[in-house]
Amino acid sequence: MLDLTNKKILVTGGAGFLGKQVVKELVSAGAQPEKITIPRSRDCDLRKLDHCQRAVEQQDIVIHLAAHVGGIGLNQEKPAELFYDNLMMGAQLIHAAYETGVEKFSCVGTICAYPKFTPVPFQEDDLWNGYPEETNAPYGIAKKALLVQLQSYRQQYGFNGIYLLPVNLYGPEDNFNPNSSHVIPALIRKVYEAQKEGKKELFVWGDGSPTREFLYSTDAARGIVMATQLYNEPDPVNLGTNAEVSIKYLAELICELMEFDGEIVWQTDKPNGQPRRCLDTKRAEDKFGFVATMDFKQGLKNTIDWYRNHAK
């Protein structure tokens, strides 16, 4: 096991929704808070090589969470930005970390890297068996390229980089911006605003048939830190719950938990996104003992409560 006690750790995206939880988990696992560095985009642009080089100087471990990311709307509006930003951030950071002698690099990828039609539950070995779902392919392919980079740097240079594939995350402090949020925060905000304005209809993209899997942010953070300490192999690893939830059920459950008694109107002219998503989570359990523990309904309640308290 990698002892974190005296390690200098760089956490890109460490001030974000997932990053805050990862930092807490690192401290719980023995890392010293004063040795954790969180670069901020205003003075560290990871799309620039010299900024990456400066960020990794004297670091022992890099956990790369930073991403330019959003829901279907943002992916359709800015595919070029999502491809370029994510590829450049990751590729240059990995290269700089290798050059400066970083001991361990944990890269967090994306479920969007999987092919559009992947047998459910998704197994890591199916990652290359087809093209990703078109609406988020540029983002997914940019992040998937980092897996190839880490595997090739391991093969040629002996660089210890690992690659993790978390499913859709949710939890308190998520991104609730309607222009870039994912499905759970987007629905919570829509219901909240419908209630506030006395509306009796809730408009939701698609037809409700697609399925997703959701991982609570504290579970995801625990999985990332466990992998950083215990996993040292080239193969990618899924992080999830192995539980499939339809968008229809999700929307109905959020309405129920928020006591919204209006009608859900499905906007079937809007895209559904990938038809099904559910991960095979056996590798994470076998390799480093990770199992998600948060009950889905409780996780949603926590997220709703946080939003209600911070909506303004």
Side-chain angles (χ1 to χ4, degrees):
M1 180 191 271
L2 181 57
D3 182 2
L4 303 177
T5 313
N6 292 305
K7 300 294 186 192
K8 291 180 179 171
I9 306 170
L10 179 77
V11 184
T12 72
F17 160 56
L18 174 60
K20 287 177 183 172
Q21 302 301 334
V22 168
V23 169
K24 282 182 191 167
E25 282 294 328
L26 285 167
V27 173
S28 296
Q32 295 172 29
E34 66 276 11
K35 293 193 174 182
I36 298 172
T37 302
I38 300 166
R40 301 305 297 264
S41 57
R42 60 177 171 265
D43 41 45
C44 180
D45 184 347
L46 295 174
R47 294 170 301 181
K48 297 177 179 172
L49 180 58
D50 59 323
H51 287 222
C52 290
Q53 289 166 331
R54 207 166 58 229
V56 300
E57 263 173 24
Q58 299 184 311
Q59 299 293 335
D60 301 307
I61 298 166
V62 175
I63 299 177
H64 180 44
L65 308 172
H68 185 177
V69 63
I72 292 177
L74 186 74
N75 277 274
Q76 287 185 314
E77 187 190 339
K78 298 187 172 177
E81 279 182 37
L82 292 173
F83 180 82
Y84 181 84
D85 291 355
N86 288 292
L87 183 66
M88 298 310 287
M89 282 195 288
Q92 296 186 130
L93 194 69
I94 290 168
H95 189 70
Y98 150 67
E99 283 194 315
T100 200
V102 164
E103 182 183 337
K104 179 80 175 270
F105 194 105
S106 295
C107 185
V108 175
T110 172
I111 192 73
C112 300
Y114 272 102
K116 180 174 183 176
F117 298 105
T118 306
V120 177
F122 296 5
Q123 294 187 334
E124 293 92 344
D125 296 342
D126 289 329
L127 199 56
W128 296 100
N129 294 344
Y131 195 76
E133 205 282 320
E134 294 79 6
T135 51
N136 51 39
Y139 170 68
I141 288 170
K143 296 291 271 186
K144 188 153 65 162
L146 306 180
L147 167 62
V148 179
Q149 185 180 6
L150 288 170
Q151 289 174 329
S152 55
Y153 277 48
R154 181 184 290 273
Q155 183 182 334
Q156 186 172 343
Y157 306 132
F159 183 62
N160 187 10
I162 62 167
Y163 189 87
L164 306 169
L165 287 155
V167 281
N168 299 47
L169 303 179
Y170 75 105
E173 297 190 73
D174 203 342
N175 168 25
F176 288 85
N177 179 334
N179 299 320
S180 57
S181 58
H182 286 107
V183 62
I184 286 179
L187 285 171
I188 290 171
R189 180 170 177 150
K190 272 186 177 180
V191 173
Y192 178 86
E193 290 180 348
Q195 287 175 314
K196 205 168 68 170
E197 294 161 18
K199 291 178 178 171
K200 287 297 174 190
E201 289 182 322
L202 185 75
F203 292 92
V204 184
W205 276 28
D207 62 12
S209 67
T211 64
R212 294 292 179 265
E213 176 181 342
F214 300 100
L215 182 63
Y216 196 66
S217 56
T218 53
D219 275 337
R222 187 166 48 83
I224 290 163
V225 173
M226 288 173 78
T228 301
Q229 289 185 282
L230 295 162
Y231 186 67
N232 300 293
E233 294 177 36
D235 296 327
V237 185
N238 288 334
L239 293 180
T241 60
N242 192 229
E244 199 173 0
V245 176
S246 77
I247 299 300
K248 182 176 186 293
Y249 172 76
L250 173 68
E252 289 169 351
L253 181 58
I254 287 173
C255 288
E256 179 193 318
L257 292 173
M258 295 183 74
E259 297 178 345
F260 175 73
D261 54 6
E263 182 193 352
I264 298 171
V265 179
W266 296 101
Q267 296 178 287
T268 53
D269 59 324
K270 302 288 190 186
N272 269 329
Q274 193 162 20
R276 292 180 71 187
R277 276 189 195 162
C278 181
L279 297 185
D280 183 314
T281 53
K282 193 169 186 308
R283 186 176 287 174
E285 186 174 359
D286 289 349
K287 296 290 184 180
F288 49 92
F290 172 71
V291 177
T293 57
M294 175 58 73
D295 172 74
F296 184 53
K297 201 178 260 194
Q298 185 59 52
L300 279 181
K301 282 181 185 167
N302 297 349
T303 310
I304 291 164
D305 289 346
W306 184 88
Y307 182 70
R308 278 185 167 145
N309 291 330
H310 296 81
K312 57 183 179 295

